[in-house]
Amino acid sequence: MDQLDVSGSFDVHEYRHGLKLLKDDRGTMTLSNREGFACPACGNEFETLFISEKRTNTFGNPGSPFCLVRTDDQLLVLTH
């Protein structure tokens, strides 16, 4: 199982083959994990990846465990 590389910044285009775009708004993106990539925080497979370049974000109840990863210019939220 490949793990997402988040050293420096995260480039979603490197993983496009295994991620399905669910939503793309100004400054945020939500993708599903079709390929079974591993979470860069805990090493387990994740279900959904939320990427934000915004300074602030508000989240509802994801209904499952989640991990946070901070890159140089993004916040990644991975739900399991």
Side-chain angles (χ1 to χ4, degrees), residues 34-80:
R34 297 185 311 181
E35 196 73 20
F37 293 119
C39 174
C42 70
N44 295 324
E45 183 176 334
F46 64 92
E47 292 178 18
T48 307
L49 169 62
F50 174 80
I51 304 169
S52 178
E53 295 175 355
K54 293 181 177 182
R55 184 164 178 76
T56 61
N57 295 280
T58 302
F59 303 99
N61 181 357
S64 62
F66 64 93
C67 293
L68 299 174
V69 176
R70 182 78 183 136
T71 67
D72 291 344
D73 54 355
Q74 299 166 317
L75 173 68
L76 309 180
V77 180
L78 304 102
T79 60
H80 296 274

